Amino acid sequence: AYQTAYLKCHHTAAFMAATLTSEMDNTDKVFNFYQDTLQQGVRILPPDVNSSGYRFAPVDEKTIAYGLGAIKGTGQAANENIVAARAEGPFRDLFDFCRRVDNRVVNRRAIEALIRGGAFDALSPHRYQLLASPDAALGSAEQHARSANQNSLFGDDEDAMPLQLANVPEWGMRERLQNEKLALGFYLSGHPYHEFAEELSHFVKHRLADLSPAMVQPASGSGGGGRRNSVQLILAGMVSGVRIQQTRRGRMGVVTLDDGTAQVEMTVFNEIFEQSRPWIREDELLVVRGKASLDDYSGNMR
């Protein structure tokens, strides 16, 4: 325990990179360690096909490169093939990428996952355009491979196929982040709550990270008689999870709210839960009025 604490304190980036890598297949744990890393004052760079490896890796004492292996739908073989292909130079665009990697290993599914996760953002920030273009890029790669393996009467016809990305509109913030979450398991480049933050600020006065036991402690000089066991609050966040529990009085919902500053679980009892089901949907905004109290067992707010 002492050795682990020493490494985390004195070699934070290397320690957290190793910790993140050890749980790459579990996105819930990756998210928890990601938050812990940020709290340690270490920055995590977004995934990038031109700089990221399969594992999370320290860049310097305060920076970690995101591991491509933590992107769902890629796999170790595909990521190692990408690293090997870029040894001859950085990828220029999606077409250059598809020509240089082995498309039997780095298949369409892996390419789409990398795009959703933002690993191509350095080549083009227009993720929807990239996501609509793998057919053209893979077709160009096949044509290039055929041209390299045979002599054409008309010379190299490599440029016969126009190398153009699909003409589609850009995603809005919500679509971009929802696709990012599909690939990474959580929001990395932003948070959908920010879309509503300004409007909500008129009546939601507390962030989820602001919830603390101090809210229900007795006021100074109250002599203990004025202790508040709970406090009424209006809170808001995106629904990141819903669990249903069966009780003697009916179904009860345990809803996890996320506003980009923290995640908080709230209990919604059966009558209100059933009435409110149309609004309790994952990745949708939810505004709640509830009673926050101190959980004596955990010492946290509930």
Side-chain angles (χ1 to χ4, degrees):
Y2 175 83
Q3 290 169 341
T4 303
Y6 179 91
L7 289 171
K8 186 173 183 179
C9 178
H10 296 285
H11 304 280
T12 310
F15 178 84
M16 294 311 300
T19 305
L20 286 158
T21 297
S22 71
E23 298 292 351
M24 281 197 301
D25 294 333
N26 187 329
T27 53
D28 288 340
K29 288 191 175 180
V30 169
F31 177 63
N32 290 335
F33 289 135
Y34 173 80
Q35 290 184 311
D36 187 19
T37 302
L38 298 183
Q39 289 170 3
Q40 305 301 320
V42 175
R43 183 169 62 115
I44 299 182
L45 301 175
D48 187 341
V49 292
N50 272 334
S51 60
S52 297
Y54 171 66
R55 296 173 173 82
F56 289 86
V59 177
D60 55 41
E61 293 182 358
K62 290 294 182 181
T63 313
I64 293 173
Y66 205 96
L68 296 179
I71 298 178
K72 299 177 185 178
T74 54
Q76 185 169 355
N79 289 312
E80 288 177 349
N81 184 260
I82 292 169
V83 174
R86 74 168 187 242
E88 56 191 78
F91 301 113
R92 298 188 302 274
D93 52 36
L94 180 63
F95 293 92
D96 181 48
F97 176 88
C98 288
R99 286 182 182 180
R100 289 164 56 186
V101 300
D102 185 344
N103 297 137
R104 294 167 299 180
V105 180
V106 187
N107 57 25
R108 181 194 179 99
R109 179 170 177 260
I111 293 169
E112 289 179 345
L114 290 165
I115 292 169
R116 287 191 169 98
F120 281 91
D121 282 4
L123 304 181
S124 170
H126 196 334
R127 293 185 190 178
Y128 188 26
Q129 188 179 52
L130 291 169
L131 196 63
S133 303
D135 282 340
L138 290 169
S140 173
E142 288 178 13
Q143 185 181 32
H144 178 73
R146 285 196 303 268
S147 299
N149 292 328
Q150 68 183 16
N151 293 320
S152 172
L153 290 173
F154 303 100
D156 188 4
D157 61 349
E158 179 181 324
D159 297 324
M161 180 180 291
L163 305 183
Q164 292 184 342
L165 296 172
N167 184 19
V168 292
E170 289 197 41
W171 276 332
M173 178 188 288
R174 181 179 292 199
E175 290 173 306
R176 178 186 175 95
L177 291 172
Q178 284 176 342
N179 276 274
E180 185 172 283
K181 187 178 179 182
L182 282 175
L184 304 180
F186 61 97
Y187 308 117
L188 181 69
S189 64
H191 198 282
Y193 183 84
H194 299 157
E195 184 180 353
F196 312 101
E198 184 177 353
E199 182 180 357
L200 291 168
S201 66
H202 297 296
F203 55 93
V204 178
K205 303 303 181 184
H206 298 281
R207 303 175 307 166
L208 298 183
D210 295 334
L211 289 177
S212 71
M215 288 182 166
V216 293
Q217 295 303 321
S220 58
S222 65
R227 179 182 176 87
R228 294 179 297 164
N229 293 319
S230 64
V231 59
Q232 290 281 347
L233 295 171
I234 296 178
L235 300 172
M238 311 302 292
V239 177
S240 65
V242 182
R243 297 199 322 271
I244 297 175
Q245 296 181 354
Q246 193 67 38
T247 69
R248 285 179 298 176
R249 297 180 58 187
R251 295 195 304 173
M252 177 181 78
V254 180
V255 182
T256 304
L257 289 184
D258 182 346
D259 68 352
T261 67
Q263 289 189 338
V264 171
E265 280 191 348
M266 66 174 189
T267 304
V268 187
F269 294 107
N270 62 315
E271 203 170 301
I272 296 176
F273 182 68
E274 294 299 339
Q275 292 172 357
S276 307
R277 284 304 299 275
W279 294 282
I280 304 176
R281 293 182 296 170
E282 195 158 339
D283 293 324
E284 294 292 334
L285 178 71
L286 195 66
V287 180
V288 302
R289 179 186 287 112
K291 184 170 65 173
S293 59
L294 180 64
D295 183 349
D296 291 329
Y297 179 75
S298 67
N300 297 322
M301 297 293 285
R302 57 180 297 177

